[in-house]
DNA sequence: TCACTCTCTTGACATACATCAATACTTTCC
DNA sequence: GGAAAGTATTGATGTATGTCAAGAGAGTGA
């Protein structure tokens, strides 16, 4: 159950066997069925979640009832509503599973203790945050300066397996375009090679 | 020279008088003339900068030579190319002053020592990062789901003094639209009230 | 003081993308 | 196994925003 987590941790910080065992005790395993929520807009986000298996997404719903996907989270990724988790304010994002999934949950209290017992995690979480910020800034610049087709190509290049796992209309939502437009872009791209 | 910094720090973490004095020793004051760079794309970002006075911006230049402003930094804000600062890779952003400015610079080494001597700063920097991430995500959603007019209104509401300090074409760049479009939006907004 | 650059505005036209509507195909589930 | 829901495609049309071009003030520097 902890294979993917430890593999990911190994890339950034080195843990002793003892620390690993200790570390395990702070996480709560949880299985999710496809379409099941772990967070709904308006609730307080009690956990940050590490994806051991499966796949989730976070999204908002605007006043015109359309969804905007903030993030997909595959195996090895973290997902949560940071702001709600940190402040205890109601969440603005909804998070649900796109496939049957296995998660490792970390509560606020568990996080605090983890940081206290194994301070290396300070560094680990800082790196995570920084990477999220950098990725989000990139996406922002893209959405301000690129065409839908360019953004689609970048997405596919960065994550070639995504079309096999995510319905097309959700990729459209992630890219900030309509499903119709994405369909036309794909036809266009396919015919040009 | 440290008034604004300490004021801002007070909002998040409490420092003793002793810690304040120690803290001061890690920062390097620097004055900048309007239009002067503190970072150019391709150079390594050696410092994170706190703005005591004045105003800066960070931006990228795309292949079609147009600028995209990532951030404005007024008094009390931080600015840098996090990724470059952290990794030592060449910066993707350029940072320059929009007004004569006074900065407090923190080098990588100074930051490390600061964190070591006054660990409260771990928390402070984590909060900063989280706030940046949240703000960037908001902007991303806006750019994917709102019209230029809505984004402009949100910008003005969130920062009503900005039109007095930033040339209109830079606000346009920040919003991801052309100066012509912003001009038309402003005419439109002005006539409807 | 005059030239020069910077900044903003306005118009005519072009284009990327959204919207609405119809159809077909696939998956889910009682 | 059949109804229902979800998913993708395609066409016709609308609209927000970009592009190009011209001109007018305001600020800046020799």
């Amino acid at each position: 159950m902890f294979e993917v987590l430890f593999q990911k941790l190994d890339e950034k910080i080195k843990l002793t066997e003892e620390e690993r065992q200790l570390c395990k005790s702070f996480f709560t395993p949880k299985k999710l069925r496809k379409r099941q929520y772990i967070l709904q807009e308006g609730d307080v986000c009690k956990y940050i979640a590490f994806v051991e298996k499966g796949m989730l997404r976070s999204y908002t719903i605007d006043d015109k009832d359309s969804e905007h996907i903030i993030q997909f989270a595959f195996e090895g990724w973290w997902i949560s509503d940071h702001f709600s988790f940190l402040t205890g304010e109601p969440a603005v994002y909804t998070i649900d599973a796109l496939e049957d999934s296995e998660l490792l949950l970390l509560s606020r209290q568990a996080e605090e203790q983890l940081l206290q017992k194994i301070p290396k995690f300070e560094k680990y979480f800082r790196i995570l945050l920084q990477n999220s910020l950098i990725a989000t800034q990139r996406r922002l610049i893209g959405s301000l300066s690129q065409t839908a087709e360019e953004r689609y190509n970048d997405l596919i290049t960065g994550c070639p397996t995504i079309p096999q796992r995510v319905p097309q209309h959700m990729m459209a939502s992630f890219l900030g375009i309509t499903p119709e437009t994405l369909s036309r872009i794909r036809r266009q791209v396919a015919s040009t090679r």
Side-chain angles (χ1 to χ4, degrees), chain A:
Chain A
M1 189 70 192
F2 285 81
E3 298 77 35
V4 184
L5 178 62
F6 288 140
Q7 186 189 318
K8 281 287 166 183
L9 288 174
D10 272 348
E11 293 172 11
K12 310 279 196 251
I13 53 176
K14 299 293 168 198
L15 293 182
T16 64
E17 190 49 39
E18 197 180 358
E19 284 170 333
R20 286 186 177 216
Q21 292 312 316
L22 181 58
C23 174
K24 280 189 183 181
S25 68
F26 295 114
F27 286 90
T28 312
K30 170 148 186 129
K31 295 195 181 197
L32 274 192
R33 281 285 170 72
K34 185 173 175 175
R35 297 187 157 268
Q36 204 176 327
Y37 295 112
I38 55 163
L39 177 67
Q40 293 190 59
E41 186 192 338
D43 294 351
V44 172
C45 181
K46 299 286 189 193
Y47 308 96
I48 56 180
F50 180 84
V51 185
E52 270 285 324
K53 188 154 174 290
M55 172 185 200
L56 291 81
R57 63 166 176 168
S58 62
Y59 61 100
T60 49
I61 301 171
D62 68 19
D63 24 298
K64 288 157 79 190
D65 269 353
S66 64
E67 292 176 3
H68 300 282
I69 295 181
I70 312 292
Q71 192 200 343
F72 295 111
F74 299 89
E75 296 85 2
W77 297 46
W78 292 84
I79 193 164
S80 82
D81 183 324
H82 289 287
F83 184 69
S84 172
F85 180 76
L86 189 76
T87 63
E89 300 281 313
V92 294
Y93 300 144
T94 298
I95 304 179
D96 62 13
L98 298 183
E99 300 172 358
D100 293 350
S101 300
E102 294 176 22
L103 308 180
L104 295 170
L105 302 181
L106 192 62
S107 71
R108 195 103 169 67
Q109 199 189 7
E111 186 206 36
E112 233 169 75
Q113 288 176 11
L114 177 65
L115 289 174
Q116 207 184 329
K117 300 271 174 150
I118 316 177
K120 286 174 211 170
F121 272 89
E122 284 278 9
K123 182 182 166 194
Y124 178 70
F125 285 123
R126 180 143 45 94
I127 294 174
L128 283 188
L129 262 178
Q130 253 152 349
N131 288 344
S132 298
L133 178 60
I134 290 157
T136 308
Q137 281 182 346
R138 285 222 184 98
R139 242 179 106 198
L140 176 63
I141 296 303
S143 85
L144 294 177
S145 68
Q146 294 180 303
T147 65
E149 183 172 338
E150 288 168 333
R151 279 178 276 146
Y152 171 72
N153 287 330
D154 286 359
L155 175 63
I156 297 299
T157 307
C159 193
T161 59
I162 206 171
Q164 281 117 58
R165 298 185 66 177
V166 177
Q168 205 166 296
H169 69 277
M170 287 195 191
M171 286 199 285
S173 161
F174 182 84
L175 292 169
I177 58 181
T178 59
E180 294 95 327
T181 297
L182 182 53
S183 173
R184 284 184 252 262
I185 286 172
R186 280 165 49 84
R187 179 176 47 171
Q188 168 69 18
V189 169
S191 74
T192 5
R193 46 169 94 116

